[in-house]
Amino acid sequence: MKTDAIKKYVFGKPFETNSTVEDIETSDGVPSYVTVSGDSIHITYNMGKNDKVYGMGEAVRGINKRGWIYETYCSDDPMHTETKRSLYGAHPFIIVDGEDVFGLFVDYPDRVTFDIGYTSINVIDITVGAPDYKLYLIEGETPLEIVRKFRQLIGRSYIAPFWSFGFQQSRWSYNTSRDVQSVIDNYRDNGFPIDAVYLDIDYMESFKDFTVSEQNFPDFGEFVKSVKAQNIHLVPIIDAGVKIEDGYDVYEEGRDNDYFCKDENGEDFVAAVWPGKVCFPDFLNPKAAEWFGMKYKTLTDLGIDGFWNDMNEPAIFYSEKGLERAIDKVTSYKGKNIGIYDFFGLKDTVLGVSNSPDDYSSIYHNVNGESVCHDTVHNIYGYNMTKSASDAFKKIEPDKNILMFSRASYIGMHRYGGIWMGDNQSWWSHIKLNLQMLPSLNMCGFMYTGADMVGFGDHCTEELALRWLALGIFNPLMRNHSALGTRNQEFYRFENRDAFRNLLKLRYALIPYLYSEYIKSVENSDLMFKPLSFEYRGDRFAEAVEDQLMVGESIMIAPVYEPNAIGRSVYIPEDMIAVKFRSEDDYSVQSYSKGHWFVEIANDEVVVFIRKNKALPLVKSADCTVNIDYSTLRFIGEIEDEFEYTLCRETGASNGESIISKENYSVSAPDNGTLKFNKI
Ligand code: GLC
């Protein structure tokens, strides 16, 4: 690889995150337009008035990150409002696109603050938590070139199994095997395609990792087999915390072998999460990581071939010490006539018990015999949990590609699994946030991703569900997931079932395209989801678009994310044809010339904008991914002479990864109204 446009600067003694895969010589000094001040923990850059800033991966706000302050700090926070600074993933990479075009990756596994025109509107000021970090400066002509170089630097992204491009239904929780079967039956009876159903924490025995409740899921292995026979994958959750309970093998093995994180006294660090008191496996200790990874075998032996790793920031509800401190504070007010500020302080004391900095600084890791405080490595905990599983899968079932995605992440983890966008809400604004995070995550290497479609927290409406689905069908990870106590949002619960069925089937018709574009963007270090500004450089309108995306090489999407809308304004950056789908077979086509348009989109429709001289491959939908019939392939679009398209297909697995074959098609001008194509 050509890395001469990447410069690496090393400050102090950085902790090795293994975020990169390329060896780059360390440069002396500092880059000319980045000034590192005395204590070498500030990186500042003066932006031009119209400079744009991209990146930051999983973060709130727009695709252009300018005008806010972000902190890379894996945080368990379900309120993704626009003033939040951190979410579950920590992705300290930005691209500045202005007179200078460059990327900055601050490889530091704890808090890094990116003040991008917040304190001073034209200044980027990056503050690193400690003076021990690596700084990569990536130069190039365009943001896309920088993404490509950066992605080569950090290594090839994880490739999810083909079946995981099917629709997946989740809820916290389907409590019994009967509940799960009823979800499957309802989807199938309604003619809705589906490939997976999720098992949230209640499938376990008292929330103990790698156990299954015998009462609620009797003969689990048989059950897994029986749903597999219906072409359904069950995807159980694995939480980071291991319940403290005598007689529970995972706990006892971890305790006896010193595989858990320690506190400042060298005792196992204890916190409370879903199972009550837990210990955290020390994923930074290679032996502990290997041990925990092999535990997934308990479930893969029963036929499970997909997992989601959760609570791995790690999330801490409370620690005994933290709780005691809070209770002392609260009781100290008893009988006193407290002022209003004391009252608010009291509230904050109680709320501050969870995920408290005091607790994180009491956690210690054993890194090859050296005790390392969690405070300096917080962001790579979940990363290493996911890596431990991925490493183990290669040993346990090399002939399978097992689905793995995580909540917490750091750059580097993208090689081992995908991520979902965490606990969002059934809010209209979160449809837009879902859209805006897709390209930002792609820039940081996270390609298998998606939001909890229809929203995790809060109650949804039928209209929101349909509009979200119209975006969800383009997310690689297309999962409908919701929280305990919220309105049921499985698609068969709503009145207009025909519309839900049609859109779900459209997803399946599009899977060959989406999968192919996904594979190609992984292999070419490209973006599957591109902001328009990356494609139409110099077009000031395209450069300002924040709510439309290029998806792969042929299409653009512009989903509706507001209630009671009859359509939306769309900027058409080049002549395109809009295909308005009511179903995979029922669609109308309209040509649009470059410019601003209002496009009517009813809530049972999806509009796909196809670029001129490009085509969109489609197949006939199927009830699940294994039944997709590629002989039904067709192309739609407007081709003047010829367009070549490469279709990627999964043909098996080896060494824990999908084997992918490629088929090239030549697509040419229509004959009897449909595009001609042949394999070349
Ligand atoms: C966390 C997860 C969510 C899950 C819940 C219960 O909030 O992010 O997806 O449903 O825990 O396990």
Side-chain angles (χ1 to χ4, degrees):
M1 150 180 143
K2 238 179 114 240
T3 47
D4 51 0
I6 302 184
K7 296 227 164 59
K8 178 169 101 178
Y9 303 89
V10 177
F11 302 95
K13 273 188 146 186
F15 187 89
E16 184 50 65
T17 61
N18 294 313
S19 56
T20 60
V21 295
E22 287 291 334
D23 253 349
I24 293 181
E25 246 179 69
T26 304
S27 297
D28 293 332
V30 286
S32 59
Y33 44 78
V34 176
T35 55
V36 180
S37 69
D39 52 3
S40 77
I41 56 165
H42 275 276
I43 304 162
T44 53
Y45 175 75
N46 292 319
M47 294 183 278
K49 219 170 81 215
N50 300 316
D51 286 11
K52 297 177 188 64
V53 181
Y54 301 107
M56 296 307 308
E58 190 177 4
V60 296
R61 299 199 170 222
I63 300 173
N64 180 354
K65 303 314 269 189
R66 191 167 174 162
W68 188 240
I69 181 167
Y70 307 85
E71 285 173 7
T72 53
Y73 193 75
C74 296
S75 305
D76 168 27
D77 183 344
M79 283 295 156
H80 309 170
T81 49
E82 64 184 72
T83 50
K84 287 297 159 71
R85 296 183 178 191
S86 314
L87 298 177
Y88 310 85
H91 308 136
F93 170 61
I94 56 167
I95 301 165
V96 176
D97 181 16
E99 216 159 278
D100 299 311
V101 181
F102 62 95
L104 280 180
F105 171 39
V106 185
D107 189 10
Y108 175 68
D110 204 76
R111 203 182 294 270
V112 182
T113 305
F114 287 78
D115 180 337
I116 307 177
Y118 166 78
T119 304
S120 175
I121 53 173
N122 291 323
V123 176
I124 297 179
D125 184 9
I126 303 172
T127 320
V128 191
D132 300 302
Y133 62 95
K134 293 182 200 164
L135 172 68
Y136 293 86
L137 173 76
I138 303 149
E139 288 178 332
E141 296 283 307
T142 62
L144 190 57
E145 197 185 318
I146 286 163
V147 168
R148 292 207 175 111
K149 284 180 185 156
F150 176 61
R151 294 262 304 281
Q152 283 163 19
L153 171 72
I154 60 175
R156 205 206 68 184
S157 302
Y158 162 79
I159 291 182
F162 180 70
W163 65 261
S164 68
F165 276 70
F167 166 64
Q168 315 189 38
Q169 180 61 53
S170 183
R171 181 161 174 90
W172 171 21
S173 288
Y174 300 125
N175 286 316
T176 64
S177 45
R178 272 185 315 282
D179 290 350
V180 172
Q181 189 55 54
S182 132
V183 172
I184 300 168
D185 292 345
N186 274 300
Y187 271 95
R188 293 271 190 250
D189 293 350
N190 281 291
F192 294 174
I194 181 166
D195 268 84
V197 177
Y198 278 64
L199 300 178
D200 207 322
I201 45 174
D202 298 285
Y203 79 89
M204 296 182 247
E205 192 71 63
S206 313
F207 306 137
K208 286 184 283 189
D209 279 340
F210 311 113
T211 68
V212 177
S213 158
E214 261 171 39
Q215 198 189 340
N216 296 333
F217 289 87
D219 208 344
F220 186 63
E222 273 310 305
F223 182 61
V224 178
K225 255 196 226 148
S226 109
V227 300
K228 195 137 271 181
Q230 304 166 62
N231 290 322
I232 295 289
H233 298 257
L234 287 183
V235 185
I237 195 168
I238 302 292
D239 280 354
V242 170
K243 185 175 173 66
I244 298 178
E245 186 182 281
D246 286 336
Y248 168 38
D249 55 345
V250 183
Y251 168 65
E252 290 189 341
E253 284 170 31
R255 180 197 59 196
D256 296 348
N257 291 293
D258 274 336
Y259 288 155
F260 293 132
C261 295
K262 301 291 180 190
D263 65 15
E264 49 275 86
N265 303 318
E267 306 291 330
D268 287 345
F269 175 84
V270 177
V273 202
W274 299 122
K277 299 282 168 58
V278 300
C279 288
F280 292 116
D282 187 355
F283 294 108
L284 272 61
N285 168 354
K287 283 209 183 101
E290 193 186 347
W291 161 75
F292 194 85
M294 289 309 283
K295 290 286 158 206
Y296 288 78
K297 190 169 184 302
T298 326
L299 292 161
T300 57
D301 280 353
L302 298 173
I304 293 295
D305 55 6
F307 297 92
W308 45 315
N309 280 347
D310 192 23
M311 309 301 278
N312 52 358
E313 292 72 30
I316 294 178
F317 291 167
Y318 68 86
S319 71
E320 212 132 77
K321 269 203 298 194
L323 196 62
E324 246 168 57
R325 268 196 304 266
I327 291 172
D328 285 350
K329 176 108 190 251
V330 173
T331 40
S332 74
Y333 286 109
K334 199 164 178 221
K336 291 195 185 129
N337 183 12
I338 61 168
I340 208 68
Y341 292 113
D342 287 332
F343 170 74
F344 287 127
L346 210 62
K347 252 170 89 177
D348 289 346
T349 303
V350 175
L351 292 175
V353 166
S354 296
N355 306 318
S356 107
D358 287 340
D359 286 336
Y360 288 132
S361 23
S362 309
I363 300 178
Y364 288 83
H365 301 276
N366 171 0
V367 183
N368 303 317
E370 198 189 319
S371 173
V372 173
C373 181
H374 183 79
D375 254 354
T376 55
V377 290
H378 174 75
N379 292 339
I380 55 172
Y381 183 77
Y383 161 6
N384 281 288
M385 175 184 185
T386 297
K387 180 177 184 298
S388 82
S390 162
D391 289 348
F393 295 161
K394 289 197 164 59
K395 292 185 209 145
I396 301 170
E397 301 234 37
D399 298 337
K400 268 194 193 164
N401 180 4
I402 294 178
L403 173 67
M404 162 52 61
F405 62 92
S406 169
R407 193 169 74 174
S409 62
Y410 181 76
I411 291 170
M413 202 210 85
H414 70 287
R415 302 195 297 272
Y416 305 101
I419 55 173
W420 88 100
M421 297 170 186
D423 295 350
N424 60 5
Q425 308 283 329
S426 295
W427 298 343
W428 287 94
S429 60
H430 280 188
I431 300 181
K432 190 172 174 195
L433 188 59
N434 177 177
L435 177 140
Q436 290 173 321
M437 263 197 230
L438 287 166
S440 307
L441 283 170
N442 278 192
M443 292 174 204
C444 297
F446 293 92
M447 307 305 287
Y448 187 75
T449 186
D452 283 348
M453 194 171 43
V454 194
F456 173 75
D458 244 330
H459 305 296
C460 69
T461 62
E462 173 154 350
E463 189 198 3
L464 176 111
L466 257 181
R467 291 298 197 189
W468 206 323
L469 177 57
L471 168 65
I473 61 176
F474 298 98
N475 282 233
L477 164 59
M478 185 198 182
R479 182 177 79 145
N480 176 341
H481 180 49
S482 54
L484 190 72
T486 58
R487 178 178 181 179
N488 290 98
Q489 60 188 43
E490 294 82 9
F491 292 127
Y492 53 79
R493 306 266 184 186
F494 300 109
E495 278 173 30
N496 190 358
R497 290 190 191 177
D498 288 346
F500 286 99
R501 181 185 309 106
N502 286 338
L503 297 198
L504 276 169
K505 286 173 89 170
L506 182 60
R507 159 69 171 209
Y508 278 69
L510 288 168
I511 285 179
Y513 176 72
L514 295 170
Y515 184 73
S516 299
E517 294 306 309
Y518 165 74
I519 295 294
K520 285 182 266 181
S521 40
V522 168
E523 289 180 349
N524 303 327
S525 306
D526 206 340
L527 298 178
M528 176 173 173
F529 298 96
K530 277 195 196 81
L532 270 59
S533 56
F534 275 49
E535 194 70 49
Y536 303 95
R537 309 264 309 148
D539 174 342
R540 56 193 282 270
F541 293 117
E543 285 182 357
V545 171
E546 282 276 338
D547 58 357
Q548 302 171 202
L549 291 176
M550 308 306 293
V551 183
E553 82 167 283
S554 296
I555 66 170
M556 180 182 84
I557 59 168
V560 172
Y561 51 87
E562 274 172 355
N564 305 313
I566 58 161
R568 52 161 289 176
S569 298
V570 178
Y571 179 66
I572 309 279
E574 61 174 312
D575 293 356
M576 287 181 165
I577 65 157
V579 184
K580 189 180 281 186
F581 288 100
R582 293 178 65 85
S583 75
E584 56 184 312
D585 301 311
D586 174 11
Y587 57 85
S588 57
V589 176
Q590 191 180 338
S591 294
Y592 282 93
S593 55
K594 177 178 160 137
H596 291 279
W597 293 89
F598 186 86
V599 180
E600 288 196 30
I601 313 170
N603 63 13
D604 57 355
E605 293 171 340
V606 171
V607 178
V608 173
F609 298 86
I610 306 181
R611 303 171 75 178
K612 266 269 172 71
N613 287 319
K614 307 247 180 216
L616 174 66
L618 287 169
V619 288
K620 215 175 156 357
S621 71
D623 60 342
C624 57
T625 48
V626 275
N627 289 336
I628 287 179
D629 177 0
Y630 278 81
S631 73
T632 62
L633 184 70
R634 67 195 155 114
F635 286 84
I636 54 175
E638 217 173 87
I639 304 287
E640 258 164 32
D641 53 86
E642 205 196 311
F643 166 68
E644 270 189 28
Y645 190 74
T646 305
L647 207 63
C648 305
R649 294 178 61 175
E650 182 190 67
T651 53
S654 99
N655 194 26
E657 295 191 356
S658 297
I659 304 170
I660 289 145
S661 77
K662 307 244 166 79
E663 289 167 4
N664 291 322
Y665 288 87
S666 157
V667 188
S668 51
D671 196 12
N672 290 333
T674 50
L675 291 175
K676 282 191 293 188
F677 65 93
N678 54 309
K679 216 167 169 179
I680 43 175

